[in-house]
């Protein structure tokens, strides 16, 4: 008994099989043989040829006919290169990977490509990239290990892989197709005449067959009308890249539809100004203010609207997909529809499409993951609909929200691509001093900062703020939002004191303009709390973070606001030295972020990194290491090696590795990270020097105290130049440097440095802070080594008493201190 063949476990986005598909047997067999014959080194296969010859239909037929050869088949519309990654990212859950909502689009797509290359969990797979243009657009997106099929009109794919040339139908195929398409009998002679007049072009034959099937028109009558229409087209002398036969067949179908239901043609013309991707039917469920007739009347009448969609589908002018509730118009038909319209009519339809897109904008803000599915459905129509060309404020607001969605969902590359296009167009249309343009500049600065391009973000935001303030004054919301962005840019530059002073002034201006509880004011308060932490004012930081968290919780429901505030509070509590409480808060923030944003959302990774640090500080070394490894691996996948968030995760992991005795791995990772830091921040940023101190610590652990001393002296000088001596970061390095000196036998220098550092730490972060206790314990060891036993014993007892009532005597720091051994103090770069 022969077992039935199993259908693919994953069957994604494949267009329905064309029941009228005819012929192409030789081409399909050639394609099958070619694509199967390159198992060890699979090259992409390209179907290229004239528009309307059936490249896509052939790929659809291949996918359906040979589906049992695959475990996974996935369709990727490729005419807009910027949408290829989102479509690949949508495959992630089917591969057991986190979704794009969780990972961000770019990382989800990368994870999908990696899984396909490895054949995990499916080794037999087929990807179809439909209507690709330049091979360069897809060069990083064609995985090896399975089968890749590309349809394209661009002959340059010849140089990329095996190609199959698709031409018009043979006459026999045309006749066979018409016999299938026209339900009543058509004679061989009539079919031959019709095929001859239409040049055997499949799309034109589909139009002719649909019109005759719908109207009952005879072949003779159709040919008479076709001849008249062709003569008219030739007389018009319009230049076109499309065959006259196709244009004539299309015009006959549209004319016939217009006689039957005129408003259906209006609907079809409207669809021509969307992208060639599926249009959600939901887009047509609202009638925006200002929508003209007859389209407005049609949208207000759901019965006639449904009929109009049905007629458009029956005339083969669009695909109506009932299960997905979408309508899709072939790009060739879209082009023909647009070409028939005057410039004024084109402008009207384009404007109406813009209105429909605006009306379809999710009611939830782009910051809410609940809105991302709808934004994802609209994104494919933004560029084809020429949204950038609109000067309507509402349309520009829609465009900005699309950019925000892309940025907040993690697709930084596409967000930057789109905002740059918008800015170029808006600058040309409205000049430099336009509020929409300046809001776009603000979003551009945010994206640059998200991508770790801190210098460029600062310059962009500074220029935008100056222009905005000159245009609308210092109290306008946009001016103040840009002012707040500059505070983040100053932190990124390492100008912590300047950032604090800037944000204090900014907070006063926000309070005056918006009050205490507005989201804009709370964002500035959050940033000021970060500033306090970066300036070693930990109690102020904690108290302000607590206020922000409580107010966000009382006033706003957005998960990102609340999680960010709670994560900030957890970090500030840790920096105050309250490690147990920091772990409790951090666990809550991390669990909430994983649950509501996903395990690999950028904010989740930042909260997870802080929790790993808190666990390490609290002495839970194994759990800290596990979480640090997880966060670092995900950060590398999401951001790449040189992004600031990845660098911070790597340094956290290096510190955890050292704490658990994995010294070789810790040294290797710390050495690599220290080299990368200046690329992100510049050579004199405090984080560079702080991480240099971590590497110095490892040198001493490996017995090279001389190198440790050299690195620590360099790090201390750099930190003092930027922050002064009375700051947690240089005092941490000074504490370690004192240990280097003691190891090298320079006991007096070690005493002197240790005493001065302890005095400063007590003044800066408090007498009972764990960092202060570590410095005191190390000084006691140094005093004992030099024979000053009485002072050493007194200082040691005082320190152990404080350990007993704070961290506990079983804490790793207390254990080391109790054994009269030196404590090593590391640095973890906080969030900017």
């Amino acid at each position: 008994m022969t077992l039935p063949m199993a259908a693919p476990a994953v069957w994604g986005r494949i267009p329905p099989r064309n029941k009228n598909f005819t012929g192409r047997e030789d081409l399909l067999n050639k394609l099958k043989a070619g694509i199967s014959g390159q198992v060890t080194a699979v090259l992409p296969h390209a179907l290229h040829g004239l528009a309307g010859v059936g490249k896509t239909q052939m790929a659809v037929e291949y996918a359906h006919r040979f589906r049992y050869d695959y475990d996974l088949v996935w369709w990727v519309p490729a005419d807009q290169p910027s949408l290829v990654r989102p479509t690949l990212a949508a495959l992630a859950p089917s591969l057991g990977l986190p979704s794009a909502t969780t990972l961000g689009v770019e990382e989800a797509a990368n994870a999908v490509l990696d899984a396909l290359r490895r054949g995990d969990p499916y080794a037999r797979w087929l990807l179809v990239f439909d209507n690709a243009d330049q091979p360069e657009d897809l060069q990083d997106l064609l995985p090896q290990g399975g089968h890749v099929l590309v349809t394209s009109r661009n002959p340059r794919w010849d140089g990329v892989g095996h190609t199959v040339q698709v031409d018009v139908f043979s006459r026999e195929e045309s006749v066979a197709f018409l016999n299938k398409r026209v339900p009543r009998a058509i004679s061989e002679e009539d079919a031959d005449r019709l095929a001859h007049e239409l040049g055997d072009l499949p799309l034109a034959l589909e139009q002719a067959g649909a019109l005759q099937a719908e109207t009952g028109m005879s072949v003779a009558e159709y040919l008479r009308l076709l001849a008249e229409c062709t003569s008219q087209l030739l007389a018009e002398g319009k230049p076109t890249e499309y065959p006259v036969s196709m244009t004539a067949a299309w015009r006959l179908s549209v004319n016939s539809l217009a006689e039957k239901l005129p408003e259906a043609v209006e609907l079809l013309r409207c669809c021509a100004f969307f992208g060639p991707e599926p249009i959600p039917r939901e887009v047509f469920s609202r009638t925006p203010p200002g929508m003209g007739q007859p389209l407005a009347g049609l949208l207000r009448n759901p019965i006639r609207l449904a009929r109009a969609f049905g007629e458009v589908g029956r005339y083969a002018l669009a695909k109506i997909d009932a299960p997905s509730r979408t309508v899709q118009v072939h790009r060739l038909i879209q082009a023909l529809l647009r070409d028939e319209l005057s410039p004024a009519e084109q402008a009207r339809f384009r404007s109406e499409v813009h209105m429909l897109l605006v009306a379809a904008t999710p009611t939830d803000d782009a910051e809410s993951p609940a809105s991302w599915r709808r934004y994802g459905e609209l994104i494919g129509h933004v560029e084809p609909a020429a949204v950038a060309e609109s000067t309507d404020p509402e349309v520009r607001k829609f465009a900005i929200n699309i950019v925000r969605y892309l940025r907040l969902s993690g697709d930084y590359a596409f967000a930057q691509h789109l905002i740059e296009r918008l800015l170029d167009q808006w600058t040309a249309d409205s000049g430099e001093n336009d509020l929409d343009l300046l809001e776009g500049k603000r979003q551009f600065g945010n994206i640059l900062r998200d991508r770790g391009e801190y210098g460029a973000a600062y310059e962009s935001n500074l220029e935008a703020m100056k222009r905005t303030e000159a245009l609308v004054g210092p109290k306008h919301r946009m001016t103040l939002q840009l002012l707040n962005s500059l505070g983040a840019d100053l932190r990124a530059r390492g100008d912590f004191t300047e950032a604090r002073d800037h944000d204090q002034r900014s907070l006063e201006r926000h309070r005056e303009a918006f009050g205490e509880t507005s989201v804009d004011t709370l964002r500035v308060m959050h940033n000021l709390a970060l500033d306090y932490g970066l300036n070693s004012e930990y109690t102020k930081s904690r108290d302000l973070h607590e206020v922000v968290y409580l107010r966000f919780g009382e006033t706003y429901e957005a998960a990102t606001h609340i999680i960010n505030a709670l994560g900030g509070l957890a970090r500030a509590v840790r920096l105050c030295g309250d490690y147990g409480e920091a772990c409790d808060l951090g666990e809550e923030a991390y669990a909430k972020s994983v649950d509501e944003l996903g395990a690999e959302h950028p904010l989740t990774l930042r909260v997870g990194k802080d929790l790993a640090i808190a666990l390490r500080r609290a002495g839970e070394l194994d759990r800290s290491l596990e979480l640090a490894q997880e966060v670092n691996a995900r950060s590398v996948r999401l951001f790449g090696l040189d992004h600031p968030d990845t660098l911070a995760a790597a340094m956290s992991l290096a510190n955890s590795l050292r704490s658990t005795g994995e010294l070789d791995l810790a040294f290797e990772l710390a050495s690599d990270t220290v080299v990368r830091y200046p690329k992100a921040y510049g050579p004199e940023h405090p984080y560079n020097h702080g991480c240099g101190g971590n590497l110095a610590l490892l040198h001493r652990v490996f017995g090279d105290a001389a190198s440790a001393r050299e690195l620590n002296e360099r790090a201390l000088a750099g930190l003092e130049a930027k922050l002064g001596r009375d700051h947690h970061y240089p005092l941490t390095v000074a504490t370690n440097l004192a240990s280097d000196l003691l190891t090298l036998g320079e006991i007096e220098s070690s005493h002197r440095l240790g005493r001065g550092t302890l005095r400063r730490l007590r003044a800066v972060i408090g007498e009972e802070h764990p960092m202060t206790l570590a410095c005191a314990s190390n000084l006691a060891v140094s005093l004992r080594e030099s024979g000053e036993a009485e002072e050493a014993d007194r200082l040691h007892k005082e320190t152990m008493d404080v350990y007993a009532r704070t961290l506990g005597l079983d804490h790793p720091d207390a254990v080391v201190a109790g054994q009269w051994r030196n404590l090593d103090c590391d640095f973890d770069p906080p969030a900017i």
Side-chain angles (χ1 to χ4, degrees):
M1 175 179 169
T2 303
L3 294 174
M5 292 181 288
V10 180
W11 179 259
R13 304 177 180 228
I14 314 302
R17 194 172 193 174
N18 184 352
K19 65 181 181 180
N20 297 314
F21 186 87
T22 302
R24 308 295 203 189
E25 295 299 325
D26 289 345
L27 289 176
L28 284 166
N29 291 333
K30 180 180 178 182
L31 178 58
K32 175 63 175 172
I35 203 170
S36 301
Q38 301 180 17
V39 176
T40 56
V42 176
L43 296 174
H45 291 64
L47 307 175
H48 62 79
L50 181 71
V53 298
K55 299 181 299 299
T56 295
Q57 286 302 316
M58 185 169 163
V60 171
E61 177 65 18
Y62 177 89
H64 283 275
R65 183 174 297 192
F66 300 110
R67 62 189 181 277
Y68 296 115
D69 293 345
Y70 299 102
D71 301 313
L72 179 153
V73 182
W74 199 256
W75 191 274
V76 183
D79 53 329
Q80 294 186 68
S82 55
L83 298 183
V84 171
R85 281 187 178 275
T87 306
L88 288 170
L91 177 55
S94 299
L95 299 178
L97 301 168
S99 69
T101 302
T102 299
L103 288 179
V105 169
E106 192 164 356
E107 174 53 25
N110 290 339
V112 164
L113 293 172
D114 183 60
L116 293 174
R117 291 185 190 102
R118 291 184 285 105
D120 181 17
Y122 303 113
R124 302 186 310 155
W125 52 261
L126 169 68
L127 292 186
V128 182
F129 293 85
D130 184 38
N131 204 46
D133 185 11
Q134 301 294 337
E136 294 81 5
D137 294 337
L138 301 182
Q139 63 181 358
D140 297 325
L141 301 173
L142 304 178
Q144 295 184 345
H147 293 170
V148 175
L149 182 61
V150 178
T151 74
S152 178
R153 295 175 63 188
N154 191 333
R156 291 185 57 228
W157 284 94
D158 278 331
V160 177
H162 172 70
T163 61
V164 175
Q165 179 75 45
V166 180
D167 206 342
V168 297
F169 277 154
S170 68
R171 184 57 48 82
E172 292 76 16
E173 289 173 330
S174 295
V175 170
F177 174 83
L178 287 170
N179 281 321
K180 278 187 178 182
R181 187 65 180 86
V182 182
R184 60 184 178 81
I186 182 172
S187 70
E188 291 286 327
E189 182 183 356
D190 282 345
D192 184 79
R193 289 169 58 204
L194 193 56
H196 173 74
E197 293 299 329
L198 293 174
D200 295 299
L201 185 66
L203 188 58
L205 290 166
E206 170 70 14
Q207 294 286 301
L211 181 59
Q212 291 175 76
E214 184 63 22
T215 65
M217 182 185 298
S218 69
V219 172
E221 177 65 8
Y222 184 90
L223 290 175
R224 184 185 68 78
L225 293 172
L226 184 68
E228 291 179 1
C229 194
T230 301
S231 297
Q232 182 182 349
L233 287 168
L234 293 173
E236 289 172 0
K238 284 186 178 179
T240 176
E241 63 177 303
Y242 311 116
V244 173
S245 60
M246 175 65 235
T247 308
W250 158 81
R251 184 177 282 185
L252 283 180
S253 295
V254 172
N255 289 345
S256 181
L257 178 62
E259 291 176 4
K260 187 172 186 179
L261 192 65
E263 55 262 51
V265 176
E266 192 81 358
L267 179 65
L268 182 63
R269 287 171 175 160
C270 179
C271 291
F273 289 86
F274 284 87
E277 311 306 325
I279 309 166
R281 286 279 295 272
E282 187 70 19
V283 167
F284 301 96
S285 65
R286 300 175 182 85
T287 308
M291 178 72 70
Q293 296 294 345
L295 192 57
L298 182 63
L299 296 182
R300 292 192 183 102
N301 189 327
I303 296 174
R304 288 188 71 80
L305 179 62
R307 184 187 170 199
F309 276 123
E311 294 293 348
V312 166
R314 282 188 285 274
Y315 276 79
L317 293 166
K319 291 180 184 176
I320 309 299
D321 190 334
S324 66
R325 286 188 48 76
T326 60
V327 55
Q328 186 174 18
V329 182
H330 192 285
R331 57 185 54 83
L332 175 53
I333 294 175
Q334 285 183 313
L336 293 168
L337 284 161
R338 292 192 299 266
D339 288 348
E340 284 288 298
L341 299 172
S342 69
E345 288 174 317
Q346 290 184 10
R348 175 173 69 84
F349 278 109
R350 189 171 287 115
S351 176
E352 290 181 339
V353 167
H354 294 167
M355 293 180 198
L356 290 169
L357 289 171
V358 169
T361 304
T363 54
D364 289 328
D365 187 79
E367 290 185 346
S368 170
S371 71
W372 291 354
R373 181 187 65 82
R374 170 50 58 84
Y375 276 116
E377 293 172 343
L378 300 179
I379 190 70
H381 304 286
V382 172
E383 293 188 271
V387 166
E389 296 177 14
S390 176
T391 57
D392 185 306
E394 289 301 311
V395 179
R396 287 185 168 185
K397 181 180 177 182
F398 164 76
I400 289 293
N401 279 331
I402 287 286
V403 171
R404 292 179 65 230
Y405 148 71
L406 290 168
R407 172 184 164 242
L408 292 166
S409 65
D411 195 350
Y412 299 148
F414 190 11
Q416 184 167 346
H417 159 79
L418 183 55
I419 194 63
E420 287 175 344
R421 291 201 61 176
L422 292 173
L423 292 177
D424 288 344
Q425 185 68 48
W426 293 355
T427 300
D429 291 343
S430 305
E432 291 283 353
N433 295 321
D434 175 78
L435 273 183
D436 296 324
L437 175 76
L438 292 168
E439 172 60 17
K441 291 267 191 181
R442 186 173 78 88
Q443 297 300 328
F444 181 56
N446 288 336
I447 293 165
L448 289 174
R449 192 185 315 111
D450 287 337
R451 302 195 78 178
E453 299 177 32
Y454 292 144
Y458 175 76
E459 296 300 328
S460 177
N461 283 330
L462 182 61
E463 179 194 1
M465 194 199 73
K466 288 178 180 177
R467 288 185 179 277
T468 303
E469 189 166 10
L471 186 64
V472 293
K475 296 184 179 181
H476 192 278
R477 186 184 184 199
M478 196 184 302
T479 304
L480 294 175
Q481 287 176 326
L482 283 160
L483 185 71
N484 188 30
S485 293
L486 279 174
D489 296 331
L490 289 169
R491 285 192 296 278
R493 287 158 56 98
D495 298 329
F496 299 156
T497 302
E498 187 179 349
R500 179 197 61 199
D501 296 344
H502 170 94
D503 284 342
Q504 285 174 333
R505 294 190 298 269
S506 175
L507 180 57
E508 291 306 311
R509 291 172 63 176
H510 276 75
R511 282 171 169 160
E512 181 183 351
F514 309 123
E516 285 283 343
T517 60
S518 81
V519 66
D520 291 320
T521 302
L522 293 178
R523 282 173 174 152
V524 180
M525 292 172 67
H526 177 85
N527 289 343
L528 180 57
L530 291 177
D531 297 329
Y532 285 144
L534 291 169
N535 283 281
S536 301
E537 299 174 79
Y538 296 142
T539 302
K540 282 185 177 181
S541 177
R542 179 198 62 201
D543 293 347
L544 188 53
H545 271 303
E546 186 172 22
V547 171
V548 171
Y549 170 62
L550 292 173
R551 287 185 182 171
F552 265 129
E554 293 166 357
T555 312
Y556 301 99
E557 296 182 356
T560 50
H561 290 158
I562 295 171
I563 293 167
N564 198 33
L566 182 57
L569 176 60
R571 185 189 317 111
V573 168
R574 167 174 58 80
L575 291 171
C576 286
D578 300 320
Y579 299 150
E581 292 87 343
C583 288
D584 294 338
L585 289 167
E587 295 278 15
E588 181 182 352
Y590 186 61
K592 185 175 181 65
S593 198
V594 169
D595 182 55
E596 298 196 28
L597 301 179
E600 301 204 21
H601 189 281
L603 181 54
T604 303
L605 296 182
R606 292 173 196 134
V607 171
K609 174 186 69 71
D610 279 327
L611 175 57
I613 297 168
L615 290 167
R616 170 161 43 87
R617 299 283 191 221
E620 297 186 39
L621 301 183
D622 291 339
R623 172 118 192 280
S624 171
L625 176 60
E626 180 182 357
L627 183 54
Q629 288 171 326
E630 181 180 315
V631 169
N632 182 66
R634 288 176 169 167
S635 297
V636 170
R637 291 198 305 270
L638 184 60
F639 303 118
L641 288 171
D642 293 325
H643 190 278
D645 282 11
T646 306
L647 296 174
M651 191 50 66
S652 168
L653 175 56
N655 288 336
S656 286
L657 289 167
R658 177 188 53 78
S659 298
T660 53
E662 300 281 352
L663 299 181
D664 289 331
L665 291 175
F667 187 86
E668 180 181 356
L669 182 57
S671 298
D672 179 72
T673 305
V674 165
V675 171
R676 294 180 186 277
Y677 250 100
K679 300 176 185 176
Y681 289 99
E684 297 305 322
H685 194 282
Y687 288 2
N688 299 338
H689 300 302
C691 291
N694 287 345
L695 183 59
L697 191 158
L698 282 160
H699 274 283
R700 175 160 47 78
V701 169
F702 274 109
D704 188 359
S707 294
R709 172 187 183 172
E710 181 181 348
L711 286 170
N712 271 326
E713 286 178 339
R714 191 185 312 153
L716 183 58
L719 288 167
E720 283 191 342
K722 196 75 173 176
L723 304 175
R725 177 63 72 94
D726 292 324
H727 188 286
H728 190 172
Y729 302 170
L731 293 174
T732 298
V733 171
T735 299
N736 288 332
L737 178 57
S739 295
D740 299 337
L741 294 171
L742 180 63
T743 303
L744 291 168
E746 299 184 29
I747 297 175
E748 183 59 34
S749 295
S750 176
H751 284 179
R752 185 167 57 253
L753 181 57
R755 290 181 193 276
T757 302
L758 179 59
R759 184 182 69 255
R760 292 173 184 273
L761 281 168
R762 285 170 170 168
V764 171
I765 58 177
E767 295 193 358
E768 297 192 353
H769 192 284
M771 181 65 227
T772 306
L773 298 181
C775 182
S777 177
N778 287 357
L779 178 59
V781 172
S782 179
L783 290 169
R784 193 184 201 194
E785 287 287 324
S786 65
E788 299 180 46
E790 184 176 344
E791 184 180 359
D793 289 342
R794 177 187 58 76
L795 181 58
H796 186 263
K797 182 179 184 307
E798 291 174 356
T799 302
M800 295 306 298
D801 287 345
V802 178
Y803 272 129
R805 65 174 181 269
T806 54
L807 298 180
L809 292 177
D810 58 347
H811 187 278
D813 285 6
V815 172
V816 171
Q819 296 171 349
W820 289 85
R821 293 187 291 123
N822 272 72
L823 283 158
D824 298 324
C825 306
D826 53 30
F827 165 74
D828 287 288
I832 291 294

